[in-house]
Amino acid sequence: EVQLVESGGGLVQPGGSLRLSCAASGFTFSSYAMHWVRQAPGKGLEYVSAISSNGGSTYYANSVKGRFTISRDNSKNTLYLQMGSLRAEDMAVYYCASGTTGAFDIWGQGTMVTVSS
Amino acid sequence: EIVMTQSPATLSVSPGERATLSCRASQSVSSNLAWYQQKPGQAPRLLIYGASTRATGIPARFSGSGSGTEFTLTISSLQSEDFAVYYCQQYNNWPPLFGQGTKLEIK
């Protein structure tokens, strides 16, 4: 079964750090770009970050640039998002996603990040 | 960045009727356009890619059309499980941004 499972979310104070993980199974993880998309409570989908299949290229939305770092370990079939200097506006459900067609046909269930003192 | 604009923000339709959702790109995205459905508490689900190709397992009542800058998602006969939020996304250029969503509600 093709699956993405996120973990690592939780409660963090403003200015704090958190690392999210996304474990992939059921497909050839190392062949595909991977993405992080977030959704603040009651809001729409916001594209956050992406990494190429070999990890050589990355992209960050302006809202997270300089604070978040995306990485992957193809030997462990795992995607990461290291988040730092967290702000209230970073509070959201974070999804990892991928796809074989350019669109995102594989999504994780999401992990909630709460930023609050 | 290519800005994706969806309309209307909210659409009220009765079960069994047809729903038509629109998505406009700020510049041409060719046919590299996807539609997603999201229900409360769930991850988005891919419905349509390539502007008109249904994803695996998606019922035939869902259809997509358009190219360039204007796209449409049509649901031919609404079922109760179709009431949800729908997002379009372009993946022709980086970054692959989403529209703001259309909430399809029961009339």
Side-chain angles (χ1 to χ4, degrees), chain A residues 8-43:
Chain A
L11 174 63
V12 60
Q13 293 185 339
S17 300
L18 210 56
R19 188 178 83 156
L20 306 184
S21 299
C22 170
S25 59
F27 66 103
T28 308
F29 178 77
S30 60
S31 295
Y32 299 104
M34 295 295 298
H35 312 267
W36 288 100
V37 177
R38 70 183 180 184
Q39 187 170 37
K43 302 298 184 181

Side-chain angles (χ1 to χ4, degrees), chain B residues 10 12 42 48 52 65 74 87 90 97 105:
Chain B
T10 303
S12 299
Q42 296 184 15
I48 302 285
S52 61
S65 63
T74 301
Y87 296 94
Q90 70 81 21
L97 297 180
E105 64 177 27

Side-chain angles (χ1 to χ4, degrees), chain B residues 51-65:
Chain B
S52 61
T53 302
R54 280 189 302 277
T56 302
I58 302 304
R61 65 180 182 272
F62 291 90
S63 63
S65 63

Side-chain angles (χ1 to χ4, degrees), chain B residues 20-23 30-31 33 35 48-53 62-74:
Chain B
T20 302
L21 289 68
S22 296
C23 175
S30 186
S31 294
L33 190 285
W35 289 95
I48 302 285
Y49 65 93
S52 61
T53 302
F62 291 90
S63 63
S65 63
S67 66
T69 62
E70 300 283 344
F71 301 88
T72 300
L73 174 70
T74 301

Side-chain angles (χ1 to χ4, degrees), chain B residues 2-19:
Chain B
I2 296 178
V3 176
M4 307 302 293
T5 303
Q6 293 185 240
S7 61
T10 303
L11 183 61
S12 299
V13 183
S14 300
E17 294 189 341
R18 175 189 298 255

